[in-house]
Amino acid sequence: MGYKLAGYDVLGNVEIDPQMMALYKRNQNPRFSFQIPIQEFKEIPDDELPAELFDLDILDGSPPCSVFSIAGKREKKWGKEHHFREGQAKQKLDDLFFDFLDVVEKLRPRVVVAENVRGMIIGLAKGYVALVKRRFEQLGYRVQLFLLNSATMGVPQKRERIFFIAHRKDLQLPKLVLQFHERPVLYKEVRSGRGRPLDPNTLTYKRWLNRRPRDDSFGDITKRINGKVSNFNSILVKDDRVPNTIASNSCFIRYDEPYYISDMDIIRIQTFPRDYDFMGADVQYVCGMSVPPLMMKGIASAIYDQWLSIA
């Protein structure tokens, strides 16, 4: 959606998840879709693929990144097979970035964009980033790494993500400059309706009653009351703040009333279109696993202005 907002045509996609593929087809209507693991896609003979997929202006990918998230015991997950999502085949998630780079080698796009979590540039994961950069170089691409916050790009959300952005060396393009200074968009500007009410008989409700103006999450409440942090992924959403990252596994509860935020809040915070057809899928999951379209629009527009318009 972000690329379309920036004026691009989206030709196709590769997707392993049947539900996500159905959503993509319903809302994006791509010309070429492959509902297969990327490991299978990269083995398709070149002469069996549409000619339009070679020498693309941009090949974009977001290899699943949960093993690099700073939440949880991430290092213990490296090198092991996991179900990224229920119903999918087990895969080594930390290998998927290199499977994506194999597709780069196969299709030889002019520009490559790959998004991932901030955790990739923290601690031991920095070694993984070095390997990714080296692979880009071996493939004949000059790569830059950007840490961007969507709150500076017109998105009402403090979502930090890293972007590997590379171009083929034969294009001899200048360094890309990404600088965004949009004003912060506060929660009260997108707030709409109500989500579920908190159950007065639950511990969550009792903790909510003990909130203080300085508290940003239920972890702050439990630390003050119990002396240790728990329930940290339950976020207090305040009218005069930019909302936190919409994550698929977090709870977002309004500070000023005992209600979860609404689905329309989530859609607006993620800058999805109001008429997006979720086809019964969980709104928070779909939005939480996505790059905000306005964030991607800013990046895609800068790539066109600084690179593709002169290449």
Side-chain angles (χ1 to χ4, degrees):
M1 288 183 286
Y3 283 103
K4 287 184 175 182
L5 288 172
Y8 290 75
D9 292 323
V10 179
L11 290 178
N13 70 310
V14 179
E15 174 58 60
I16 192 175
D17 188 310
Q19 185 183 38
M20 295 304 107
M21 176 61 91
L23 282 173
Y24 200 85
K25 284 185 173 181
R26 174 67 64 87
N27 292 281
Q28 305 301 336
N29 192 29
R31 289 168 56 191
F32 309 109
S33 287
F34 300 85
Q35 189 181 309
I36 55 177
I38 194 170
Q39 297 91 343
E40 293 181 20
F41 175 81
K42 71 183 186 181
E43 297 300 329
I44 297 175
D46 290 358
D47 59 5
E48 295 181 15
L49 289 173
E52 293 93 330
L53 299 186
F54 294 89
D55 196 35
L56 290 163
D57 282 330
I58 299 180
L59 176 68
D60 181 289
S62 296
C65 48
S66 59
V67 292
F68 297 109
S69 172
I70 57 175
K73 300 176 181 178
R74 60 181 195 153
E75 285 86 354
K76 292 185 178 181
K77 298 178 182 178
W78 295 353
K80 299 177 182 178
E81 291 189 335
H82 302 274
H83 288 291
F84 175 64
R85 188 165 180 243
E86 194 64 37
Q88 291 186 6
K90 273 191 173 183
Q91 303 179 84
K92 287 184 181 179
L93 301 187
D94 36 332
D95 286 348
L96 290 177
F97 210 118
F98 293 97
D99 291 322
F100 172 68
L101 290 173
D102 288 342
V103 175
V104 172
E105 182 178 23
K106 181 182 185 68
L107 301 182
R108 302 296 299 168
R110 302 166 78 191
V111 174
V112 181
V113 177
E115 172 263 356
N116 223 293
V117 293
R118 180 174 174 268
M120 271 192 79
I121 58 173
I122 295 174
L124 295 176
K126 290 179 181 178
Y128 186 90
V129 170
L131 293 175
V132 169
K133 287 182 173 180
R134 185 185 307 167
R135 180 67 173 141
F136 267 115
E137 289 290 330
Q138 291 170 347
L139 294 177
Y141 285 81
R142 185 165 289 113
V143 63
Q144 295 174 246
L145 183 59
F146 298 90
L147 173 62
L148 300 175
N149 189 325
S150 65
T152 68
M153 304 170 73
V155 178
Q157 181 182 170
K158 295 182 289 187
R159 192 184 196 94
E160 283 192 313
R161 288 294 182 266
I162 64 168
F163 291 83
F164 294 85
I165 304 180
H167 67 80
R168 280 201 327 249
K169 291 180 181 179
D170 63 284
L171 299 176
Q172 298 183 338
L173 295 171
K175 275 196 170 184
L176 185 69
V177 178
L178 294 182
Q179 294 181 343
F180 302 99
H181 305 288
E182 297 290 332
R183 71 164 184 85
V185 181
L186 308 180
Y187 174 56
K188 63 185 177 183
E189 299 178 59
V190 296
R191 180 169 173 159
S192 175
R194 281 174 169 168
R196 292 181 292 114
L198 297 184
D199 184 342
N201 299 311
T202 62
L203 183 58
T204 297
Y205 183 79
K206 293 174 183 177
R207 286 172 172 168
W208 180 84
L209 290 175
N210 280 287
R211 72 203 183 285
R212 298 292 182 270
R214 287 190 174 184
D215 295 332
D216 291 322
S217 75
F218 278 59
D220 295 330
I221 299 172
T222 58
K223 183 178 181 180
R224 189 179 65 251
I225 295 175
N226 303 324
K228 63 179 181 178
V229 175
S230 62
N231 210 198
F232 65 89
N233 65 339
S234 290
I235 308 301
L236 289 166
V237 185
K238 301 176 181 178
D239 268 357
D240 60 350
R241 299 280 187 87
V242 177
N244 284 29
T245 299
I246 294 294
S248 59
N249 59 349
S250 294
C251 296
F252 298 88
I253 299 168
R254 290 177 174 170
Y255 180 83
D256 61 351
E257 60 177 3
Y259 286 85
Y260 292 91
I261 66 174
S262 67
D263 280 352
M264 184 53 69
D265 283 351
I266 294 171
I267 290 168
R268 290 178 170 182
I269 290 169
Q270 194 66 10
T271 68
F272 266 52
R274 293 171 64 94
D275 62 351
Y276 188 88
D277 187 353
F278 288 88
M279 299 175 64
D282 182 81
V283 170
Q284 184 173 332
Y285 179 82
V286 175
C287 288
M289 299 305 293
S290 305
V291 177
L294 273 188
M295 187 179 200
M296 201 63 240
K297 178 192 175 186
I299 296 167
S301 296
I303 290 172
Y304 178 79
D305 292 340
Q306 298 177 43
W307 282 358
L308 296 177
S309 65
I310 63 174

